[in-house]
Amino acid sequence: MKLKLHLDPDRKVSLKVSKQHKVEFRLRQLMVPPGKKISLKRDYSPGFTGGYHDKTAAVEQLAANVERLAELQERLYADDRYGLLIVFQAMDAAGKDGAIKHVMSGVNPQGCRVTSFKVPSAEELDHDYLWRASRALPGRGTIGIFNRSYYEETLVVRVHSELLAKQKLPPGDVDEDFWRRRFKEMNNFEKYLVHNGIFVLKFFLNLSKSEQRKRFLARIEEPEKNWKFSTADYRERAYWNDYQAAYEDMLRHTSTEVAPWFVIPADNKWFSRLAISAAICAVLESLDLKFPEVSKERRRELQEIQKALEGE
Ligand code: AMP
Ligand code: MG
């Protein structure tokens, strides 16, 4: 098997807005090229929408993708050869939860599991950092969604490096090489998964600082959104630049041929959901998923049972 995500980066995502007007983008525009020194500021705009600003057509297209995704998941399940791990990372209020809810809304819960990774528990800290992720991996025929992931080990843990002290690691310097090693470990982990038929798709929801401010304010102003507001999230905002730098370094070092990162413009929720659903469909469509074929003998056997049942 070719060691690569079976995905056509030139796949076009089109929205027919009217008879004359069509919006198009290619998945490649959102992918982080492996080995390239990207800049979030220069190369990826949180407000990118493929040149279109009316969400009606996007919402329709999303509904079609959600339906398509449900069909593809049924095939993935029946085919039972591959699993799909989908990783979501983002700053607070970027819309991870909403994207997961909307994009996966048509999918059969039997074949899908969402795991949210929080501050590690005492038991989790007693293990290597990939331990808790391994336990939540999807099996063949299923989709596993990571709402945050082992990548936090190079994000929040890097920004607040005092968190490392709790990890009881063997002694050694926490320098550039330390983080490089973590990136390598993650790349190897994903390579191992793909070798074993578990594909990995990674989304970074790229939100602008001003849009985060707007969303935080909305969570305060609208009483029914108050529960969503976390003072801790507000405090993390003070580390915005450190996080951007950590994300950038992570994207540069962990977008691989096998498991690329997609930078999803997140200032418009309708667009991010559309792009995510399109990327997931593209991956599943390229897997050549088949319903198991029923042999002639089995067909004959079934017909005999049918006769017996009818004769009861
Ligand atoms: P939320 O996703 O808003 O419910 O918050 C989960 C919190 O857990 C976030 O603040 C993350 O930064 C934190 N978290 C997730 N993984 C880790 C980790 N490996 N180490 C430390 N904190 C983490
Ligand atoms: Mg939070």
Side-chain angles (χ1 to χ4, degrees):
M1 189 178 71
K2 218 160 130 201
L3 179 64
K4 221 174 169 183
L5 190 77
H6 300 277
L7 177 117
D8 173 14
D10 284 319
R11 184 189 169 98
K12 262 193 244 164
V13 179
S14 309
L15 288 180
K16 203 153 184 245
V17 180
S18 68
K19 264 194 184 139
Q20 300 84 20
H21 196 69
K22 207 160 97 184
V23 179
E24 270 182 1
F25 63 93
R26 287 168 198 272
L27 290 177
R28 189 189 292 284
Q29 283 173 271
L30 309 179
M31 258 165 85
V32 178
K36 198 170 164 230
K37 207 168 175 206
I38 55 104
S39 146
L40 274 178
K41 242 200 191 122
R42 190 192 57 216
D43 304 326
Y44 300 92
S45 160
F48 177 82
T49 56
Y52 184 58
H53 288 280
D54 174 4
K55 69 177 196 180
T56 328
V59 170
E60 264 171 39
Q61 181 67 48
L62 173 64
N65 285 354
V66 166
E67 217 171 281
R68 179 80 187 121
L69 191 55
E71 287 166 24
L72 288 163
Q73 185 218 11
E74 199 186 357
R75 268 172 191 273
L76 180 80
Y77 193 84
D79 182 271
D80 204 24
R81 275 183 300 162
Y82 304 116
L84 181 62
L85 171 65
I86 308 175
V87 171
F88 284 92
Q89 283 293 157
M91 295 297 285
D92 293 302
K96 276 187 287 112
D97 297 35
I100 294 169
K101 180 171 138 187
H102 281 87
V103 172
M104 305 313 285
S105 58
V107 153
N108 181 349
Q110 279 225 80
C112 179
R113 174 152 73 122
V114 183
T115 309
S116 298
F117 291 95
K118 310 276 181 188
V119 177
S121 68
E123 190 193 16
E124 288 167 349
L125 283 173
D126 256 345
H127 291 82
D128 59 283
Y129 71 85
L130 287 174
W131 180 74
R132 65 174 181 166
S134 312
R135 296 188 351 142
L137 287 173
R140 298 188 199 289
T142 70
I143 299 178
I145 294 178
F146 282 6
N147 185 348
R148 304 187 190 270
S149 66
Y150 42 89
Y151 281 104
E152 291 291 340
E153 294 293 334
T154 67
L155 299 166
V156 69
V157 177
R158 191 170 188 181
V159 172
H160 299 284
S161 46
E162 68 276 8
L163 290 171
L164 265 183
K166 295 191 187 156
Q167 299 195 356
K168 299 182 254 182
L169 294 172
D173 292 335
V174 179
D175 50 13
E176 283 295 302
D177 284 346
F178 177 87
W179 302 111
R180 292 279 152 90
R181 200 165 63 230
R182 284 210 159 171
F183 293 142
K184 252 192 229 157
E185 287 159 1
M186 293 171 187
N187 289 341
N188 288 336
F189 179 60
E190 290 168 359
K191 203 189 255 185
Y192 161 82
L193 292 177
V194 174
H195 271 149
N196 282 277
I198 311 298
F199 289 93
V200 187
L201 197 48
K202 303 181 288 195
F203 297 117
F204 164 54
L205 274 61
N206 188 24
L207 184 74
S208 68
K209 195 176 181 191
S210 59
E211 182 61 25
Q212 190 196 51
R213 176 176 171 274
K214 260 199 226 158
R215 291 187 190 176
F216 279 173
L217 280 173
R219 287 176 180 188
I220 293 169
E221 282 158 16
E222 299 166 38
E224 66 280 13
K225 282 190 182 170
N226 281 176
W227 66 273
K228 279 193 192 175
F229 185 77
S230 137
T231 311
D233 291 356
Y234 169 67
R235 277 198 217 108
E236 286 311 284
R237 184 174 160 82
Y239 299 94
W240 183 273
N241 291 340
D242 296 340
Y243 271 108
Q244 292 301 105
Y247 266 109
E248 209 165 66
D249 205 36
M250 175 204 87
L251 293 167
R252 283 173 184 167
H253 288 97
T254 60
S255 196
T256 59
E257 290 281 333
V258 185
W261 273 104
F262 286 84
V263 177
I264 303 292
D267 277 5
N268 298 284
K269 288 178 184 168
W270 57 266
F271 183 81
S272 41
R273 292 169 190 173
L274 176 70
I276 291 165
S277 64
I280 302 174
C281 283
V283 169
L284 291 176
E285 273 170 5
S286 59
L287 283 182
D288 181 32
L289 302 168
K290 290 191 274 285
F291 286 103
E293 273 180 34
V294 180
S295 66
K296 275 196 185 131
E297 297 88 85
R298 176 71 180 146
R299 191 65 216 143
R300 233 174 279 132
E301 194 188 3
L302 288 176
Q303 279 162 347
E304 271 160 33
I305 296 173
Q306 185 184 18
K307 247 188 245 157
L309 280 170
E310 284 167 351
E312 266 182 24

